[in-house]
Amino acid sequence: MKTDGDGVSVIAAILGAVVSFGLAFSAIFYKVADVRVNGILHGGPTSLAAAMAGLFGGGVVALAVLVFLLRWGNRLDRSIDG
């Protein structure tokens, strides 16, 4: 009989996706906006393009992490249950 492990694995997968989204967004934004030179709050079309690229890239990474964690969790449940 299964316990509440499905809910926990879904919450863990969503949390992992949120964290990976934040890290990917930050890395892409800092690289595209060239924050080391311009600063974090410089505005303009470069900042807008960097934000859009960060949102897209972060979304792709978060989706990949979410799918991976959900599939890995299901595979682990099946191997434990036998």
Side-chain angles (χ1 to χ4, degrees):
M1 179 176 193
K2 282 193 168 185
T3 58
D4 198 25
D6 290 338
V8 171
S9 65
V10 169
I11 290 172
I14 290 172
L15 184 62
V18 168
V19 169
S20 65
F21 173 82
L23 291 174
F25 172 79
S26 299
I28 293 170
F29 179 80
Y30 275 67
K31 180 67 177 170
V32 173
D34 203 14
V35 171
R36 288 184 299 167
V37 175
N38 299 325
I40 193 153
L41 299 173
H42 62 279
T46 305
S47 179
L48 178 62
M52 290 177 7
L55 288 172
F56 178 76
V60 169
V61 169
L63 183 63
V65 167
L66 183 66
V67 168
F68 174 76
L69 289 176
L70 287 175
R71 289 182 56 89
W72 180 71
N74 287 340
R75 192 172 348 145
L76 183 63
D77 287 343
R78 278 186 265 143
S79 68
I80 290 173
D81 289 341

